[in-house]
Amino acid sequence: MRKIGMGMAMVSTALAGALMLAGCGGAPSANGSSHDSPDGAEMQLVTNGVLTVGTSAEYEPFEYMQDGEYKGFDLDLARAIAEDLDLELKIENVDFDTIVPGVASGAKYDVGIAAITATPEREDQVDFTESYYLDDQAIVTMADNAEVTGDTCFDVLNADGVKIAVQSGSTAEAFARENFPKASLVPFKNATDCFAAVQSNQAVALVTNRSVAAQLVATSFTNEHVIKQVSTGEEYAIAVGKANPALREALDASIEKLAADGTIDALMAQYNIK
């Protein structure tokens, strides 16, 4: 199983049947604790019996806060994985661009789950599980901006003085830098701030992932619209420390199981992503 995402058929079953794999306890290690992976190797955890997840909960519908609770496709998937591995789940909400370094350190988070694309640059710091979702990039402007359209955006936005909002450290930032080299990129800590920047005229446009753009213009920023979607086929995966291959193997086994039994398909339907 290589990719779990758009266009992949999955078996439809009840969510309740998804969480039956029991994890095996291991002896504590110097780095917190250890459990056994499916092949019997020990996986290291920051805290005994706990899967500590680094995320950035400002990226609806993947991870966000609602009424003081963590919501989103990624975080519900993290809950399913933790229960599948017989672990408690601890969520650490941090700036997006600190997640991969925090996982790489081996001391802050066991994993990073935050709509993270497995890129070569990130793979220099951490390992990744098999991908569980595919996404693309999107360009968003104010709905009443007639100058920037899907047909003209690559010319109009690629000009001196044009400001484009991006999330710092994201693939959207890399996409904008490559495709709009003459423009000035305005980095923000999260996607919501990028949308707010366009509304307040701090930027003419923003670049973010397709699924996030579709969600936020439909719910929170209805006076903005998506003018262009660009197929980039970005693979979302879970970041794991390079010194923790047993944890990566355990996560891969859990992702494969949750895909096969319909859990991932059900979560995609719940959060209206394809």
Side-chain angles (χ1 to χ4, degrees), residues 69-167:
E69 295 184 5
Y70 288 108
K71 302 285 188 178
F73 172 79
D74 278 352
L75 299 184
D76 280 356
L77 177 60
R79 290 184 181 95
I81 290 172
E83 188 169 350
D84 190 42
L85 298 178
D86 196 26
L87 298 170
E88 295 182 17
L89 181 69
K90 180 181 180 181
I91 297 173
E92 296 283 359
N93 188 19
V94 297
D95 292 341
F96 179 80
D97 56 6
T98 68
I99 295 173
V100 167
V103 172
S105 74
K108 291 187 175 182
Y109 329 116
D110 300 309
V111 298
I113 304 179
I116 302 174
T117 303
T119 64
E121 294 78 13
R122 291 169 181 160
E123 287 174 339
D124 286 340
Q125 302 180 65
V126 295
D127 285 340
F128 283 96
T129 63
E130 301 289 355
S131 59
Y132 61 84
Y133 186 76
L134 298 180
D135 210 345
D136 300 308
Q137 291 293 333
I139 301 169
V140 177
T141 65
M142 295 298 295
D144 61 1
N145 186 341
E147 181 181 2
V148 187
T149 68
D151 292 331
T152 67
C153 61
F154 284 102
D155 291 325
V156 175
L157 295 179
N158 187 31
D160 292 337
V162 172
K163 294 182 178 181
I164 301 174
V166 293
Q167 184 175 19

Coordinates of all heavy atoms in Angstrom, one line a residue, residues 69-167:
E69 N -11.8 22.0 21.7 CA -11.4 20.6 21.4 C -10.7 20.5 20.0 O -11.0 21.3 19.1 CB -12.7 19.7 21.3 CG -13.4 19.5 22.7 CD -14.5 18.5 22.6 OE1 -14.7 17.9 21.5 OE2 -15.2 18.4 23.6
Y70 N -9.8 19.6 20.0 CA -9.1 19.4 18.7 C -9.9 18.6 17.7 O -10.5 17.5 18.1 CB -7.8 18.6 19.0 CG -6.7 19.4 19.6 CD1 -6.4 19.2 21.0 CD2 -6.0 20.5 19.0 CE1 -5.4 20.0 21.6 CE2 -5.1 21.2 19.6 CZ -4.8 21.0 20.9 OH -3.8 21.7 21.5
K71 N -10.1 19.1 16.5 CA -10.9 18.5 15.5 C -10.1 18.3 14.2 O -9.0 18.9 14.1 CB -12.1 19.3 15.2 CG -13.0 19.6 16.4 CD -13.8 18.4 16.7 CE -14.9 18.8 17.8 NZ -15.7 17.6 18.2
G72 N -10.6 17.6 13.3 CA -10.0 17.5 12.0 C -9.7 16.1 11.5 O -9.5 15.2 12.3
F73 N -9.5 15.9 10.2 CA -9.2 14.6 9.6 C -7.9 14.0 10.2 O -7.9 12.9 10.6 CB -9.1 14.8 8.1 CG -8.6 13.6 7.4 CD1 -9.5 12.5 7.1 CD2 -7.3 13.5 7.0 CE1 -9.0 11.4 6.5 CE2 -6.9 12.4 6.3 CZ -7.7 11.3 6.0
D74 N -6.9 14.8 10.2 CA -5.6 14.3 10.7 C -5.7 13.9 12.2 O -5.1 12.9 12.5 CB -4.5 15.4 10.6 CG -3.9 15.5 9.2 OD1 -4.3 14.6 8.3 OD2 -3.2 16.4 8.9
L75 N -6.3 14.7 13.0 CA -6.3 14.4 14.4 C -7.2 13.3 14.8 O -7.0 12.5 15.7 CB -6.6 15.7 15.2 CG -5.6 16.9 15.0 CD1 -6.0 18.0 15.9 CD2 -4.2 16.4 15.2
D76 N -8.3 13.1 14.0 CA -9.1 11.9 14.2 C -8.4 10.7 13.8 O -8.5 9.6 14.4 CB -10.5 12.1 13.5 CG -11.5 12.9 14.3 OD1 -11.2 13.3 15.4 OD2 -12.6 13.2 13.7
L77 N -7.6 10.8 12.7 CA -6.8 9.7 12.3 C -5.8 9.4 13.3 O -5.5 8.2 13.6 CB -6.1 10.0 10.9 CG -5.1 9.0 10.4 CD1 -5.9 7.7 10.1 CD2 -4.5 9.5 9.1
A78 N -5.2 10.4 13.9 CA -4.2 10.2 15.0 C -4.8 9.4 16.2 O -4.2 8.6 16.8 CB -3.6 11.5 15.5
R79 N -6.1 9.8 16.5 CA -6.8 9.1 17.6 C -7.0 7.6 17.3 O -6.8 6.8 18.1 CB -8.2 9.8 17.8 CG -8.1 11.2 18.5 CD -9.4 11.7 18.8 NE -9.3 13.1 19.4 CZ -9.4 14.2 18.7 NH1 -9.6 14.2 17.4 NH2 -9.2 15.4 19.3
A80 N -7.4 7.4 16.0 CA -7.6 6.0 15.6 C -6.3 5.2 15.7 O -6.3 4.0 16.1 CB -8.2 6.0 14.2
I81 N -5.2 5.8 15.2 CA -3.9 5.1 15.2 C -3.5 4.8 16.7 O -3.0 3.7 17.0 CB -2.9 5.9 14.5 CG1 -3.2 5.9 13.0 CG2 -1.5 5.4 14.8 CD1 -2.3 6.9 12.2
A82 N -3.6 5.8 17.6 CA -3.2 5.7 19.0 C -4.0 4.5 19.6 O -3.5 3.7 20.3 CB -3.4 7.0 19.7
E83 N -5.3 4.5 19.4 CA -6.1 3.5 20.0 C -5.8 2.1 19.4 O -5.7 1.1 20.1 CB -7.6 3.8 19.8 CG -8.5 2.8 20.5 CD -10.0 3.2 20.6 OE1 -10.3 4.4 20.1 OE2 -10.8 2.4 21.0
D84 N -5.5 2.1 18.1 CA -5.1 0.9 17.4 C -3.8 0.3 18.0 O -3.6 -0.9 18.1 CB -4.9 1.2 15.9 CG -4.8 -0.1 15.1 OD1 -5.5 -1.1 15.3 OD2 -3.9 -0.1 14.2
L85 N -2.9 1.2 18.4 CA -1.6 0.8 19.0 C -1.7 0.7 20.5 O -0.6 0.5 21.2 CB -0.5 1.8 18.6 CG -0.3 1.8 17.1 CD1 0.8 2.9 16.8 CD2 0.2 0.5 16.5
D86 N -2.9 0.8 21.1 CA -3.1 0.7 22.5 C -2.3 1.8 23.3 O -1.6 1.5 24.3 CB -2.7 -0.7 23.0 CG -3.2 -0.9 24.4 OD1 -4.3 -0.3 24.8 OD2 -2.6 -1.8 25.1
L87 N -2.3 3.0 22.8 CA -1.6 4.1 23.4 C -2.5 5.3 23.6 O -3.5 5.5 22.9 CB -0.5 4.6 22.4 CG 0.7 3.7 22.1 CD1 1.5 4.2 20.9 CD2 1.5 3.4 23.3
E88 N -2.2 6.1 24.7 CA -2.9 7.3 24.8 C -2.4 8.3 23.8 O -1.3 8.2 23.3 CB -2.7 7.9 26.3 CG -3.3 7.0 27.4 CD -3.1 7.6 28.7 OE1 -2.8 8.8 28.8 OE2 -3.2 6.9 29.7
L89 N -3.2 9.3 23.5 CA -2.8 10.4 22.6 C -2.7 11.7 23.3 O -3.5 12.1 24.0 CB -3.9 10.5 21.5 CG -3.6 11.6 20.4 CD1 -2.4 11.1 19.5 CD2 -4.8 11.8 19.6
K90 N -1.5 12.3 23.0 CA -1.2 13.7 23.5 C -1.0 14.6 22.4 O -0.1 14.3 21.6 CB 0.0 13.7 24.5 CG 0.3 15.1 25.1 CD 1.5 15.0 26.0 CE 1.8 16.3 26.6 NZ 3.0 16.3 27.5
I91 N -1.7 15.7 22.2 CA -1.5 16.6 21.1 C -0.8 17.9 21.6 O -1.3 18.5 22.6 CB -2.9 16.9 20.5 CG1 -3.6 15.7 19.9 CG2 -2.8 18.0 19.4 CD1 -5.0 15.9 19.5
E92 N 0.2 18.2 20.9 CA 1.0 19.5 21.2 C 0.7 20.4 20.0 O 1.1 20.1 18.9 CB 2.4 19.2 21.3 CG 2.8 18.3 22.5 CD 2.8 19.0 23.8 OE1 2.5 20.2 23.8 OE2 3.0 18.4 24.9
N93 N 0.1 21.5 20.3 CA -0.3 22.5 19.2 C 0.8 23.6 19.1 O 1.0 24.3 20.1 CB -1.6 23.2 19.6 CG -2.1 24.1 18.4 OD1 -1.7 23.9 17.3 ND2 -3.0 24.9 18.7
V94 N 1.6 23.6 18.0 CA 2.7 24.4 17.9 C 2.7 25.1 16.5 O 1.9 24.8 15.6 CB 4.1 23.6 18.1 CG1 4.1 23.1 19.5 CG2 4.2 22.5 17.1
D95 N 3.7 26.0 16.2 CA 3.8 26.6 14.9 C 4.2 25.5 13.9 O 5.1 24.6 14.2 CB 4.9 27.7 14.9 CG 4.5 28.9 15.7 OD1 3.2 29.0 15.9 OD2 5.3 29.7 16.1
F96 N 3.7 25.5 12.7 CA 3.9 24.4 11.7 C 5.4 24.2 11.4 O 5.8 23.1 11.4 CB 3.2 24.8 10.4 CG 3.3 23.8 9.4 CD1 2.6 22.6 9.4 CD2 4.3 23.9 8.3 CE1 2.8 21.6 8.4 CE2 4.4 23.0 7.3 CZ 3.7 21.8 7.4
D97 N 6.1 25.3 11.3 CA 7.5 25.1 10.9 C 8.4 24.6 12.0 O 9.6 24.4 11.8 CB 8.1 26.4 10.3 CG 8.0 27.6 11.2 OD1 7.6 27.4 12.3 OD2 8.4 28.7 10.7
T98 N 7.9 24.4 13.2 CA 8.7 23.8 14.3 C 8.4 22.3 14.4 O 9.1 21.6 15.3 CB 8.4 24.5 15.6 OG1 7.1 24.2 16.0 CG2 8.6 26.0 15.5
I99 N 7.4 21.7 13.7 CA 7.0 20.4 13.9 C 8.1 19.4 13.5 O 8.5 18.5 14.3 CB 5.7 20.0 13.2 CG1 4.6 20.9 13.8 CG2 5.4 18.6 13.3 CD1 3.3 20.8 13.0
V100 N 8.6 19.5 12.3 CA 9.6 18.6 11.8 C 10.9 18.6 12.6 O 11.4 17.6 13.0 CB 9.9 18.8 10.3 CG1 11.1 18.0 9.8 CG2 8.7 18.3 9.4
P101 N 11.4 19.8 12.9 CA 12.6 19.8 13.8 C 12.3 19.2 15.2 O 13.2 18.5 15.8 CB 12.9 21.3 14.0 CG 12.4 21.9 12.7 CD 11.1 21.2 12.4
G102 N 11.1 19.4 15.7 CA 10.7 18.8 17.0 C 10.7 17.3 17.0 O 11.1 16.6 17.9
V103 N 10.2 16.7 15.9 CA 10.2 15.3 15.7 C 11.6 14.8 15.5 O 12.0 13.8 16.1 CB 9.3 14.9 14.5 CG1 9.5 13.4 14.2 CG2 7.9 15.2 14.7
A104 N 12.4 15.5 14.8 CA 13.8 15.1 14.5 C 14.6 15.1 15.8 O 15.5 14.2 15.9 CB 14.4 16.0 13.5
S105 N 14.3 15.9 16.8 CA 15.0 16.0 18.0 C 14.9 14.7 18.8 O 15.7 14.4 19.7 CB 14.6 17.2 18.8 OG 13.3 17.0 19.4
G106 N 13.7 14.0 18.7 CA 13.5 12.8 19.4 C 13.0 13.1 20.9 O 12.8 12.2 21.6
A107 N 12.9 14.4 21.3 CA 12.6 14.7 22.6 C 11.3 15.4 22.8 O 10.7 15.4 23.9 CB 13.7 15.6 23.2
K108 N 10.8 16.0 21.7 CA 9.5 16.8 21.9 C 8.3 16.0 21.5 O 7.3 16.0 22.2 CB 9.6 18.1 21.0 CG 10.7 19.1 21.6 CD 10.6 20.4 20.8 CE 11.5 21.4 21.4 NZ 11.5 22.7 20.7
Y109 N 8.3 15.4 20.3 CA 7.1 14.7 19.8 C 7.6 13.4 19.2 O 8.7 13.3 18.6 CB 6.4 15.5 18.7 CG 6.5 17.0 18.8 CD1 7.1 17.8 17.9 CD2 5.9 17.7 19.9 CE1 7.2 19.2 18.0 CE2 6.0 19.0 20.1 CZ 6.7 19.8 19.1 OH 6.8 21.1 19.2
D110 N 6.7 12.4 19.3 CA 7.0 11.1 18.7 C 6.8 11.2 17.2 O 7.5 10.6 16.4 CB 6.1 10.0 19.2 CG 6.3 9.8 20.7 OD1 7.4 9.6 21.2 OD2 5.3 9.8 21.5
V111 N 5.7 11.9 16.8 CA 5.4 12.1 15.4 C 4.9 13.5 15.1 O 4.5 14.2 16.0 CB 4.3 11.0 15.0 CG1 4.8 9.6 15.2 CG2 3.0 11.3 15.8
G112 N 4.8 13.8 13.8 CA 4.2 15.1 13.4 C 3.1 14.7 12.5 O 3.3 14.0 11.5
I113 N 1.9 15.2 12.8 CA 0.7 14.9 11.9 C 0.0 16.3 11.7 O -0.6 16.8 12.7 CB -0.3 13.9 12.6 CG1 0.4 12.6 12.9 CG2 -1.5 13.7 11.7 CD1 -0.5 11.6 13.6
A114 N 0.2 16.9 10.6 CA -0.3 18.2 10.3 C -0.4 18.5 8.8 O 0.1 19.5 8.4 CB 0.6 19.3 11.0
A115 N -1.0 17.6 8.1 CA -1.0 17.7 6.6 C 0.4 18.0 6.1 O 0.6 18.9 5.3 CB -2.0 18.9 6.2
I116 N 1.3 17.2 6.5 CA 2.7 17.4 6.2 C 3.0 16.6 4.9 O 2.8 15.4 4.8 CB 3.6 16.9 7.3 CG1 3.3 17.7 8.6 CG2 5.1 17.1 6.9 CD1 4.1 17.1 9.8
T117 N 3.5 17.3 3.9 CA 3.9 16.7 2.6 C 5.3 16.1 2.8 O 6.2 16.8 3.3 CB 3.9 17.7 1.5 OG1 2.6 18.3 1.4 CG2 4.3 17.1 0.2
A118 N 5.5 14.9 2.4 CA 6.8 14.3 2.4 C 7.7 14.8 1.3 O 7.6 14.4 0.1 CB 6.7 12.8 2.3
T119 N 8.5 15.8 1.6 CA 9.4 16.4 0.6 C 10.8 16.0 0.8 O 11.2 15.6 2.0 CB 9.3 17.9 0.7 OG1 9.9 18.4 2.0 CG2 7.9 18.5 0.5
P120 N 11.7 16.0 -0.2 CA 13.1 15.6 0.0 C 13.8 16.4 1.1 O 14.6 15.9 1.8 CB 13.7 15.9 -1.4 CG 12.6 15.8 -2.3 CD 11.4 16.3 -1.6
E121 N 13.4 17.7 1.2 CA 14.1 18.6 2.2 C 13.7 18.1 3.6 O 14.6 18.0 4.5 CB 13.6 20.0 2.0 CG 14.1 20.7 0.8 CD 13.3 20.3 -0.5 OE1 12.2 19.7 -0.3 OE2 13.8 20.6 -1.6
R122 N 12.4 17.7 3.8 CA 12.0 17.2 5.1 C 12.6 15.8 5.4 O 12.8 15.5 6.5 CB 10.5 17.2 5.2 CG 9.9 18.6 5.3 CD 8.4 18.7 5.1 NE 7.9 20.0 5.1 CZ 6.7 20.4 4.6 NH1 5.9 19.5 4.1 NH2 6.3 21.7 4.7
E123 N 12.7 15.1 4.3 CA 13.2 13.7 4.5 C 14.7 13.7 4.9 O 15.2 12.7 5.3 CB 13.0 12.9 3.2 CG 11.6 12.5 3.0 CD 11.3 11.8 1.7 OE1 12.1 12.0 0.8 OE2 10.3 11.1 1.5
D124 N 15.4 14.9 4.7 CA 16.7 15.0 5.3 C 16.7 15.0 6.8 O 17.7 14.7 7.4 CB 17.4 16.3 4.8 CG 17.8 16.2 3.3 OD1 17.9 15.1 2.8 OD2 17.9 17.3 2.7
Q125 N 15.6 15.4 7.4 CA 15.5 15.5 8.9 C 14.8 14.4 9.5 O 15.2 14.0 10.6 CB 14.8 16.8 9.2 CG 15.4 18.1 8.7 CD 14.7 19.3 9.1 OE1 14.6 19.7 10.3 NE2 14.1 20.0 8.1
V126 N 13.7 13.9 8.9 CA 12.9 12.8 9.5 C 12.5 11.8 8.4 O 12.7 12.0 7.2 CB 11.6 13.4 10.0 CG1 11.8 14.4 11.2 CG2 10.8 14.1 8.9
D127 N 12.0 10.7 8.9 CA 11.4 9.7 8.0 C 9.9 9.9 8.0 O 9.3 10.6 8.8 CB 11.7 8.2 8.6 CG 13.1 7.8 8.4 OD1 13.8 8.4 7.5 OD2 13.5 6.9 9.1
F128 N 9.3 9.3 7.0 CA 7.8 9.4 6.8 C 7.2 8.1 6.6 O 7.8 7.1 6.1 CB 7.5 10.3 5.6 CG 7.7 11.7 5.8 CD1 8.9 12.4 5.4 CD2 6.7 12.5 6.4 CE1 9.0 13.7 5.6 CE2 6.9 13.9 6.6 CZ 8.0 14.5 6.2
T129 N 6.0 8.0 7.1 CA 5.2 6.8 6.9 C 4.7 6.7 5.4 O 5.0 7.7 4.6 CB 3.9 6.8 7.7 OG1 3.1 7.9 7.4 CG2 4.2 6.9 9.2
E130 N 4.0 5.7 5.0 CA 3.4 5.7 3.7 C 2.3 6.8 3.7 O 1.8 7.2 4.8 CB 2.6 4.3 3.5 CG 3.6 3.1 3.5 CD 4.5 3.0 2.3 OE1 4.3 3.9 1.4 OE2 5.3 2.1 2.2
S131 N 2.1 7.4 2.6 CA 1.1 8.5 2.5 C -0.3 8.0 2.8 O -0.7 6.9 2.5 CB 1.2 9.2 1.2 OG 0.9 8.3 0.1
Y132 N -1.1 8.9 3.3 CA -2.5 8.6 3.6 C -3.5 9.6 2.9 O -4.7 9.4 3.0 CB -2.7 8.7 5.2 CG -2.5 10.0 5.8 CD1 -3.4 11.0 5.8 CD2 -1.2 10.3 6.4 CE1 -3.2 12.2 6.4 CE2 -1.0 11.5 7.0 CZ -1.9 12.5 7.0 OH -1.7 13.7 7.6
Y133 N -3.0 10.6 2.2 CA -3.8 11.5 1.5 C -3.1 12.3 0.5 O -1.9 12.5 0.7 CB -4.5 12.5 2.5 CG -5.5 13.4 1.9 CD1 -6.8 12.9 1.6 CD2 -5.2 14.7 1.5 CE1 -7.7 13.7 1.0 CE2 -6.2 15.6 0.9 CZ -7.4 15.0 0.7 OH -8.4 15.8 0.1
L134 N -3.7 12.6 -0.7 CA -3.1 13.3 -1.7 C -3.8 14.7 -1.9 O -5.0 14.7 -1.8 CB -3.2 12.6 -3.1 CG -2.5 11.2 -3.1 CD1 -2.7 10.6 -4.5 CD2 -1.0 11.4 -2.8
D135 N -3.0 15.8 -2.0 CA -3.6 17.1 -2.2 C -2.9 17.9 -3.2 O -1.9 17.4 -3.8 CB -3.5 17.8 -0.8 CG -4.7 18.8 -0.6 OD1 -5.4 19.1 -1.6 OD2 -4.9 19.2 0.5
D136 N -3.4 19.0 -3.6 CA -2.9 19.9 -4.6 C -2.8 21.3 -4.0 O -3.2 21.6 -2.9 CB -3.7 19.9 -5.8 CG -3.8 18.5 -6.4 OD1 -2.8 17.9 -6.7 OD2 -5.0 18.1 -6.7
Q137 N -2.3 22.3 -4.8 CA -2.2 23.7 -4.4 C -3.3 24.5 -5.0 O -3.9 24.1 -6.0 CB -0.9 24.3 -4.8 CG 0.4 23.7 -4.1 CD 0.4 24.1 -2.6 OE1 -0.2 25.1 -2.2 NE2 1.0 23.2 -1.9
A138 N -3.7 25.6 -4.3 CA -4.7 26.5 -4.8 C -4.3 27.9 -4.5 O -3.6 28.2 -3.6 CB -6.1 26.2 -4.1
I139 N -4.8 28.8 -5.4 CA -4.6 30.2 -5.3 C -5.9 30.9 -5.0 O -6.9 30.6 -5.6 CB -4.0 30.8 -6.6 CG1 -2.7 30.1 -6.9 CG2 -3.8 32.3 -6.5 CD1 -2.2 30.4 -8.3
V140 N -5.9 31.8 -4.0 CA -7.1 32.4 -3.5 C -7.0 33.9 -3.5 O -5.9 34.5 -3.2 CB -7.4 31.9 -2.0 CG1 -8.7 32.6 -1.5 CG2 -7.6 30.4 -2.0
T141 N -8.0 34.6 -3.9 CA -8.1 36.1 -3.9 C -9.4 36.5 -3.3 O -10.3 35.7 -3.1 CB -7.9 36.7 -5.3 OG1 -9.1 36.3 -6.1 CG2 -6.7 36.2 -5.9
M142 N -9.6 37.8 -3.1 CA -10.9 38.3 -2.8 C -11.9 38.1 -4.0 O -11.5 38.1 -5.1 CB -10.9 39.8 -2.5 CG -10.1 40.2 -1.3 SD -10.7 39.5 0.3 CE -12.3 40.3 0.4
A143 N -13.1 37.8 -3.7 CA -14.1 37.4 -4.7 C -14.4 38.6 -5.7 O -14.7 38.3 -6.8 CB -15.4 36.9 -4.1
D144 N -14.2 39.8 -5.2 CA -14.5 41.0 -6.0 C -13.3 41.5 -6.8 O -13.3 42.5 -7.4 CB -15.1 42.1 -5.2 CG -14.2 42.6 -4.1 OD1 -13.1 42.1 -4.0 OD2 -14.6 43.5 -3.4
N145 N -12.2 40.7 -6.7 CA -10.9 41.1 -7.5 C -11.0 40.6 -8.9 O -10.7 39.4 -9.1 CB -9.7 40.5 -6.8 CG -8.4 41.0 -7.4 OD1 -8.4 41.5 -8.5 ND2 -7.3 40.9 -6.6
A146 N -11.4 41.4 -9.8 CA -11.6 41.0 -11.2 C -10.3 41.0 -12.0 O -10.2 40.4 -13.1 CB -12.6 41.9 -11.9
E147 N -9.2 41.6 -11.4 CA -8.0 41.7 -12.1 C -7.2 40.3 -12.1 O -6.6 40.0 -13.1 CB -7.1 42.7 -11.5 CG -5.7 42.9 -12.2 CD -4.9 43.9 -11.6 OE1 -5.3 44.5 -10.5 OE2 -3.7 44.2 -12.1
V148 N -7.3 39.6 -11.0 CA -6.6 38.3 -10.9 C -7.6 37.2 -11.1 O -8.5 37.0 -10.3 CB -5.9 38.2 -9.5 CG1 -5.0 37.0 -9.5 CG2 -5.1 39.4 -9.2
T149 N -7.4 36.5 -12.1 CA -8.3 35.3 -12.5 C -7.5 34.1 -12.7 O -6.2 34.1 -12.7 CB -9.1 35.6 -13.7 OG1 -8.2 35.6 -14.9 CG2 -9.8 36.9 -13.7
G150 N -8.2 33.0 -12.8 CA -7.4 31.7 -13.1 C -6.6 31.8 -14.4 O -5.6 31.1 -14.4
D151 N -7.0 32.6 -15.3 CA -6.3 32.7 -16.6 C -5.1 33.6 -16.5 O -4.1 33.5 -17.2 CB -7.3 33.1 -17.7 CG -8.3 32.1 -18.1 OD1 -8.0 30.9 -17.9 OD2 -9.4 32.5 -18.5
T152 N -5.2 34.6 -15.7 CA -4.2 35.7 -15.6 C -3.3 35.6 -14.4 O -2.3 36.3 -14.4 CB -4.9 37.1 -15.6 OG1 -5.6 37.3 -14.4 CG2 -5.8 37.2 -16.8
C153 N -3.6 34.7 -13.5 CA -2.9 34.8 -12.2 C -1.4 34.6 -12.3 O -0.6 35.3 -11.5 CB -3.5 33.8 -11.2 SG -3.4 32.1 -11.7
F154 N -0.9 33.7 -13.1 CA 0.5 33.5 -13.2 C 1.3 34.7 -13.8 O 2.5 34.8 -13.5 CB 0.8 32.2 -13.9 CG 0.5 31.0 -13.1 CD1 -0.6 30.2 -13.4 CD2 1.4 30.6 -12.1 CE1 -0.9 29.1 -12.6 CE2 1.1 29.4 -11.4 CZ 0.0 28.7 -11.6
D155 N 0.6 35.5 -14.5 CA 1.2 36.7 -15.0 C 1.1 37.9 -14.1 O 2.0 38.6 -13.7 CB 0.7 37.1 -16.4 CG 1.0 36.1 -17.5 OD1 2.2 35.6 -17.4 OD2 0.2 35.9 -18.3
V156 N -0.2 38.1 -13.6 CA -0.5 39.3 -12.8 C 0.2 39.2 -11.4 O 0.7 40.2 -10.9 CB -2.0 39.4 -12.6 CG1 -2.3 40.6 -11.6 CG2 -2.7 39.7 -13.9
L157 N 0.2 38.0 -10.8 CA 0.8 37.9 -9.5 C 2.3 37.8 -9.5 O 3.0 38.1 -8.5 CB 0.3 36.6 -8.8 CG -1.2 36.6 -8.5 CD1 -1.6 35.3 -7.8 CD2 -1.6 37.8 -7.6
N158 N 2.9 37.5 -10.6 CA 4.4 37.4 -10.7 C 4.9 38.8 -11.2 O 5.4 39.0 -12.3 CB 4.8 36.3 -11.7 CG 6.3 36.1 -11.7 OD1 7.0 36.3 -10.7 ND2 6.9 35.7 -12.8
A159 N 4.8 39.8 -10.3 CA 5.3 41.1 -10.6 C 5.8 41.8 -9.3 O 5.4 41.5 -8.2 CB 4.1 41.9 -11.2
D160 N 6.7 42.8 -9.5 CA 7.2 43.5 -8.4 C 6.1 44.2 -7.7 O 5.2 44.8 -8.3 CB 8.2 44.6 -8.9 CG 9.5 43.9 -9.5 OD1 9.8 42.8 -9.1 OD2 10.2 44.5 -10.3
G161 N 6.2 44.2 -6.3 CA 5.2 44.9 -5.5 C 4.0 44.1 -5.2 O 3.2 44.5 -4.3
V162 N 3.8 43.0 -5.8 CA 2.7 42.1 -5.5 C 3.0 41.3 -4.3 O 4.1 40.7 -4.2 CB 2.3 41.1 -6.7 CG1 1.3 40.1 -6.2 CG2 1.8 42.0 -7.9
K163 N 2.1 41.2 -3.3 CA 2.3 40.5 -2.1 C 1.4 39.3 -2.0 O 0.2 39.4 -2.3 CB 2.1 41.4 -0.8 CG 3.1 42.5 -0.7 CD 2.8 43.3 0.6 CE 3.8 44.4 0.7 NZ 3.6 45.2 1.9
I164 N 2.0 38.1 -1.7 CA 1.3 36.8 -1.7 C 1.5 36.2 -0.3 O 2.6 36.1 0.2 CB 1.8 35.9 -2.8 CG1 1.6 36.5 -4.2 CG2 1.0 34.5 -2.7 CD1 2.2 35.6 -5.3
A165 N 0.4 35.9 0.4 CA 0.4 35.3 1.7 C 0.7 33.8 1.6 O 0.0 33.1 0.8 CB -0.8 35.6 2.5
V166 N 1.5 33.3 2.5 CA 1.8 31.9 2.5 C 2.1 31.5 4.0 O 2.4 32.3 4.8 CB 3.1 31.5 1.7 CG1 2.8 31.7 0.2 CG2 4.3 32.3 2.1
Q167 N 1.9 30.2 4.3 CA 2.2 29.7 5.6 C 3.7 29.4 5.6 O 4.2 28.7 4.8 CB 1.4 28.4 5.9 CG 1.6 27.9 7.3 CD 0.7 26.7 7.7 OE1 0.2 26.1 6.8 NE2 0.6 26.4 8.9

